[in-house]
């Protein structure tokens, strides 16, 4: 009884077979079919390799939402070299709430030589090349995001030469925590002192001839410091053409949450517009000599997530490639064979008409004679 039920089950499964097997004796093969099959297998192999390459790769997904965090502090990472002695310059931040952040909280004033060594100049040249490529090809930013923490540090390398030249510049580096509102980070003449109506700088004690705000921005970023990320102002160098010169940078900051397979961090992207002018009160160009970075924070937050193709989607795309190529090549082969048969039939018909037999009355016969002379003997 069990054997009978098993036999019925097998027969039922055999009837449900959607892939009937054709005996090999009924299958007709041809040279053209073999050629098309070879082309199809080669195309499938090539597209499968390409699809596997796409499967292994990742891409960055950008999502936008309103930034509701107004209570946290904003970190500013600074590494700027000014072509003046450290006792002549002062750096501080003044935000829209009239809150002054003293530079002594996190900034270090280090006497250095303004001119770069050969190794440092090579670093600056490479950084300028990367910056120019980033402006032309914005998709490279995704590569930088994915390679964060894996690439080498973008900081200026230390000097490799032992120069006997005395320091003629001041490197201001470190970090500051400010309120998450628009503000103004500036470096100008004299040390900053608190004032009931804001703040002031002791510029009267500095000789006007010593003003020189030629500067180099080795690094400027906002938020968590992530090695490998290149910011828009990294490597920027400006040379002052006059003692009384103002350099302005108008910065728009966008809070960014970065989630990759390597890191998860909260940082900030920013765009910048630069402007510089000579201070000449007689000509109507008023202001204060120095370096001014006016920043504003966007109300939108960007979440950048590294994504990977799911394995099931890879299988579906792979099945689509294999099935699609087989179906397409089969259709093309059938159509080509049909066209070839029509052409050959017409060629045979024309050759058949050229062999017509003449009759005695001058007419021609399109039929071949039933017997030849040799057959009558």
């Amino acid at each position: 009884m069990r054997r009978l039920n098993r036999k019925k089950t097998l027969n039922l499964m055999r009837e449900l077979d959607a892939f009937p097997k054709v005996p090999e004796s009924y299958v007709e093969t041809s040279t053209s079919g073999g050629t098309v099959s070879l082309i199809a297998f080669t195309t499938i192999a090539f597209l499968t390799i390409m699809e596997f390459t796409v499967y292994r790769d990742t891409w960055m997904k950008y999502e936008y939402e309103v930034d509701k965090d107004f209570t946290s502090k904003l970190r500013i990472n600074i590494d700027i070299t000014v072509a003046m002695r450290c006792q002549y310059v002062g750096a501080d931040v003044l935000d829209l709430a009239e809150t002054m952040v003293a530079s002594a909280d996190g900034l270090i004033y280090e006497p250095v030589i303004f001119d770069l060594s050969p190794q440092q100049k090579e670093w600056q040249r490479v950084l300028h090349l990367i910056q120019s490529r980033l402006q032309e090809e914005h998709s490279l930013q995704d590569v930088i995001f994915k390679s964060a923490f894996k690439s080498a540090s973008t900081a200026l390398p230390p000097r490799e030469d032992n120069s006997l030249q005395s320091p003629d510049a001041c490197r201001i580096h470190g970090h500051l925590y400010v309120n998450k509102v628009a503000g103004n980070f500036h470096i100008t003449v004299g040390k900053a002192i608190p004032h009931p109506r804001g703040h002031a700088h002791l510029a009267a004690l500095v000789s006007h001839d010593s003003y020189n705000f030629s500067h180099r921005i080795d690094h400027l970023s906002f938020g968590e410091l992530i090695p490998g990320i290149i910011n828009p102002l990294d490597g920027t160098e400006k040379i002052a053409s006059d003692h009384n010169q103002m350099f302005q940078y108008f910065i728009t900051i966008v809070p960014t949450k970065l989630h990759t397979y390597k890191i998860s961090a909260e940082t900030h992207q920013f765009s910048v517009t630069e402007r510089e002018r000579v201070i000449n009160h007689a000509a109507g160009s008023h202001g204060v000599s120095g370096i001014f970075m006016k920043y504003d924070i966007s109300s939108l937050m960007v979440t950048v997530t590294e994504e990977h193709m799911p394995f099931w989607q890879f299988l579906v795309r792979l099945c689509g490639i294999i099935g699609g190529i087989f179906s397409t090549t089969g259709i093309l082969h059938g159509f080509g064979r049909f066209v070839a048969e029509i052409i050959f039939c017409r060629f045979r018909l024309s050759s058949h008409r050229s062999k017509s037999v003449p009759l005695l009355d001058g007419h021609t016969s399109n039929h071949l004679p039933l017997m030849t002379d040799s057959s009558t003997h």
Side-chain angles (χ1 to χ4, degrees):
M1 188 67 180
R2 290 181 178 177
R3 187 176 297 176
L4 182 61
N5 292 334
R6 184 180 301 174
K7 187 175 181 180
K8 290 182 178 180
T9 303
L10 292 176
N11 292 333
L12 178 61
M13 297 300 295
R14 189 178 294 110
E15 292 177 359
L16 294 176
D17 187 6
F19 307 97
K21 310 301 182 297
V22 180
E24 293 185 1
S25 58
Y26 296 163
V27 178
E28 180 183 358
T29 59
S30 62
T31 305
S32 61
T35 304
V36 173
S37 300
L38 183 61
I39 295 174
F41 290 144
T42 305
T43 306
I44 289 174
F46 175 73
L47 293 181
T48 300
I49 295 174
M50 296 296 294
E51 190 66 26
F52 183 72
T53 304
V54 174
Y55 170 72
R56 292 185 57 189
D57 195 13
T58 59
W59 62 87
M60 308 305 293
K61 179 182 179 181
Y62 293 82
E63 296 177 331
Y64 302 89
E65 59 180 318
V66 177
D67 185 14
K68 300 179 182 179
D69 184 13
F70 302 105
T71 59
S72 62
K73 294 288 186 177
L74 175 64
R75 171 171 169 158
I76 306 178
N77 307 297
I78 302 165
D79 191 351
I80 302 176
T81 302
V82 185
M84 292 180 64
R85 298 185 182 277
C86 291
Q87 61 266 27
Y88 296 157
V89 295
D92 62 307
V93 178
L94 187 65
D95 58 25
L96 289 182
E98 297 297 327
T99 302
M100 176 182 171
V101 179
S103 61
D105 292 344
L107 295 183
I108 301 174
Y109 293 77
E110 178 185 351
V112 294
I113 301 173
F114 187 77
D115 292 334
L116 297 177
S117 65
Q119 181 180 354
Q120 292 174 331
K121 289 181 179 179
E122 179 63 20
W123 168 87
Q124 189 181 43
R125 187 191 66 81
V126 174
L127 192 57
H128 286 169
L129 180 61
I130 296 175
Q131 292 283 22
S132 61
R133 291 293 300 274
L134 282 174
Q135 294 177 2
E136 297 174 359
E137 303 179 21
H138 300 285
S139 59
L140 290 179
Q141 186 63 49
D142 293 348
V143 179
I144 293 178
F145 279 150
K146 289 189 288 186
S147 63
F149 278 161
K150 295 192 298 183
S151 59
S153 175
T154 59
L156 177 69
R159 299 186 70 92
E160 77 282 2
D161 57 342
N162 297 323
S163 178
L164 300 178
Q165 180 182 354
S166 60
D168 58 350
C170 183
R171 178 190 175 198
I172 304 174
H173 60 98
H175 62 273
L176 296 172
Y177 288 95
V178 298
N179 297 322
K180 207 170 180 180
V181 295
N184 180 11
F185 169 77
H186 51 271
I187 302 174
T188 187
V189 180
K191 299 299 182 181
I193 57 174
H195 192 271
R197 296 184 179 180
H199 76 293
H201 289 263
L202 296 175
L205 303 178
V206 182
S207 172
H208 184 271
D209 295 334
S210 61
Y211 286 16
N212 185 4
F213 283 100
S214 299
H215 62 281
R216 183 178 59 253
I217 303 176
D218 297 326
H219 179 79
L220 178 69
S221 64
F222 300 86
E224 185 177 347
L225 186 60
I226 303 178
I229 298 296
I230 299 178
N231 298 278
L233 286 177
D234 292 354
T236 301
E237 183 175 284
K238 300 290 184 180
I239 303 299
S241 58
D242 191 272
H243 292 292
N244 283 338
Q245 193 156 350
M246 174 189 289
F247 296 91
Q248 294 177 304
Y249 300 92
F250 301 93
I251 301 173
T252 302
I253 305 172
V254 180
T256 304
K257 291 183 178 180
L258 182 61
H259 301 287
T260 67
Y261 290 104
K262 297 295 181 180
I263 63 170
S264 180
E266 294 187 3
T267 181
H268 293 73
Q269 302 179 82
F270 65 91
S271 60
V272 59
T273 302
E274 305 175 13
R275 184 188 176 191
E276 58 181 83
R277 59 188 176 92
V278 177
I279 303 300
N280 189 346
H281 299 286
S285 178
H286 304 290
V288 179
S289 303
I291 306 167
F292 297 86
M293 299 183 177
K294 299 181 180 180
Y295 59 87
D296 193 7
I297 303 176
S298 174
S299 59
L300 292 179
M301 180 176 62
V302 181
T303 302
V304 185
T305 308
E306 185 178 6
E307 291 194 344
H308 187 275
M309 181 188 297
F311 183 70
W312 65 267
Q313 187 175 353
F314 169 70
L315 291 180
V316 170
R317 291 165 64 99
L318 197 61
C319 293
I321 289 174
I322 297 175
I325 291 177
F326 267 117
S327 301
T328 304
T329 52
I331 293 173
L332 293 177
H333 177 253
F335 179 76
R337 192 170 183 178
F338 174 73
V339 173
E341 288 180 355
I342 293 178
I343 294 174
F344 285 141
C345 285
R346 290 186 176 181
F347 177 75
R348 290 174 182 175
L349 183 60
S350 62
S351 63
H352 173 72
R353 289 178 178 177
S354 63
K355 294 181 180 180
S356 58
V357 180
L359 298 179
L360 296 177
D361 56 358
H363 296 281
T364 57
S365 174
N366 293 329
H367 299 280
L368 292 175
L370 297 178
M371 293 184 299
T372 61
D373 295 338
S374 61
S375 62
T376 59
H377 296 287

